[in-house]
Amino acid sequence: MSVLVFVEPGDELSLQALALARGLESELHGVSVGPAAVAVDVLHLAEIDGSYAPGAWAAAVVQLIHQLSPTHVLAAGSDNGNEVLAHVAARLDLPFAANVTEVQGGEVTRVRWGGSLLEEARVHAPVKLLTVAPHAVAAEAAGAPVATESFAPELGERDLAVRVQARVAASGEGVSLAEAKVVVSGGRGVGSAEGFSIIEELAGLLGAAVGCSRVVTSAGWRPHTDQVGQTGTKVSPDLYIACGISGATQHIAGCKGAKRILAINADAEAPILASADYAVIGDLHEIVPAITAELRKAKGA
Ligand SMILES: Cc1cc2nc3c(=O)[nH]c(=O)nc-3n(C[C@H](O)[C@H](O)[C@H](O)COP(=O)(O)OP(=O)(O)OC[C@H]3O[C@@H](n4cnc5c(N)ncnc54)[C@H](O)[C@@H]3O)c2cc1C
């Protein structure tokens, strides 16, 4: 009996998927495009040009499924992990359960509706295709595979029809939202694009990334890349500062991985207070500059 995990080298979410797979107590196989520091029994290195090509990566996984007949195939609940397993499912005509937090044989618990409910489901398939909900399982430490085997998947033209040909760095500088230790986020309460200057100033002092709610991106105050939530980026900082954000479930889906949440809101009844560890009730246009001024004083700046 074996379990196969699709691994992206250097990817924290892949280490979370491995941690869940290890609990299945089967021989653990990994498949990756490029060498990966993962403690599996066998790491299968697919000889494919490293740039992302979901069809080609899925073809590699399908080939290994035929070879190993694993009981389960897991991948990270990332954009790439979900896309590759969706291709695998389509090619094998199998069901696919995304955002899983627990597995017991064919039974899975998975996150649904942007994190507002946990579903217990039974997957009826000879091979269970699962992605692991981000930050639901502690990542295991990087390690070294016991054995490594290279293989060249048979690829057709259609497998490479979609592929990344170039990467363009995001405009703007600073800390990446997904990896930031502190995020200062603004919602409708900020009031305008210009209003974000106080959010940016505070973020700059804290070495934080700036985030926002969907209302803000819909209004064109900030780019979509700054959006936190179900349809934006999922963040897991040590501290998430939500300024003028009501705390809709779709927003909380993106920030509930934060270790601590500080809400700054004019409304003492705002739903975000149910998720917040700390709250300051009042006008953010006064509170945020006051925090910034205190930080400057403390830093002697
Ligand atoms: C399918 C779907 C996907 C979605 N995906 C996302 C997503 O990824 N991310 C996301 O954020 N939303 C998402 N939404 C939208 C979500 O439902 C909410 O509409 C949105 O999050 C609300 O944004 P907000 O909190 O900025 O605005 P509001 O809900 O209008 O809240 C504004 C808050 O600011 C406070 N406020 C106002 N003025 C001040 C002030 N001067 N000082 C302090 N506080 C003040 C108010 O008390 C209020 O709590 C999605 C919705 C759907 C249907």
Side-chain angles (χ1 to χ4, degrees), residues 187-189 212-215 227-232 244-248 250-251 264-267 270 282-285:
R188 194 199 299 270
C212 68
S213 70
R214 191 164 95 167
V215 163
Q227 184 178 315
V228 171
Q230 184 182 328
T231 46
I245 293 176
S246 61
Q250 297 90 350
H251 187 83
I264 301 174
N265 202 298
D267 178 5
D283 184 352
L284 71 91
H285 298 99

Side-chain angles (χ1 to χ4, degrees), residues 25 36 40 57 66 72 87 90 92 95 163 169 194 227 239:
E25 294 179 354
V40 291
W57 292 18
H66 289 315
H72 299 76
H87 275 265
L92 296 177
R163 65 187 311 187
E194 298 70 41
Q227 184 178 315
L239 177 63

Side-chain angles (χ1 to χ4, degrees), residues 6-22:
F6 171 71
V7 174
E8 284 199 75
D11 173 37
E12 174 81 3
L13 297 183
S14 293
L15 292 172
Q16 294 173 13
L18 267 174
L20 195 68
R22 200 168 292 282

Side-chain angles (χ1 to χ4, degrees), residues 181-266:
K181 294 283 175 216
V182 181
V183 175
V184 186
S185 217
R188 194 199 299 270
V190 174
S192 63
E194 298 70 41
F196 268 84
S197 61
I198 58 171
I199 305 289
E200 279 174 351
E201 197 181 355
L202 178 58
L205 269 178
L206 293 171
V210 172
C212 68
S213 70
R214 191 164 95 167
V215 163
V216 168
T217 53
S218 301
W221 300 346
R222 303 288 299 184
H224 179 71
T225 45
D226 283 2
Q227 184 178 315
V228 171
Q230 184 182 328
T231 46
T233 302
K234 300 204 171 39
V235 299
S236 51
D238 293 337
L239 177 63
Y240 185 76
I241 306 179
C243 310
I245 293 176
S246 61
T249 50
Q250 297 90 350
H251 187 83
I252 299 297
C255 65
K256 66 175 190 288
K259 291 204 180 82
R260 293 273 183 277
I261 296 179
L262 161 62
I264 301 174
N265 202 298

Side-chain angles (χ1 to χ4, degrees), residues 167-184:
R167 287 181 191 274
V168 180
S171 59
E173 301 152 1
V175 195
S176 113
L177 188 56
E179 285 160 20
K181 294 283 175 216
V182 181
V183 175
V184 186

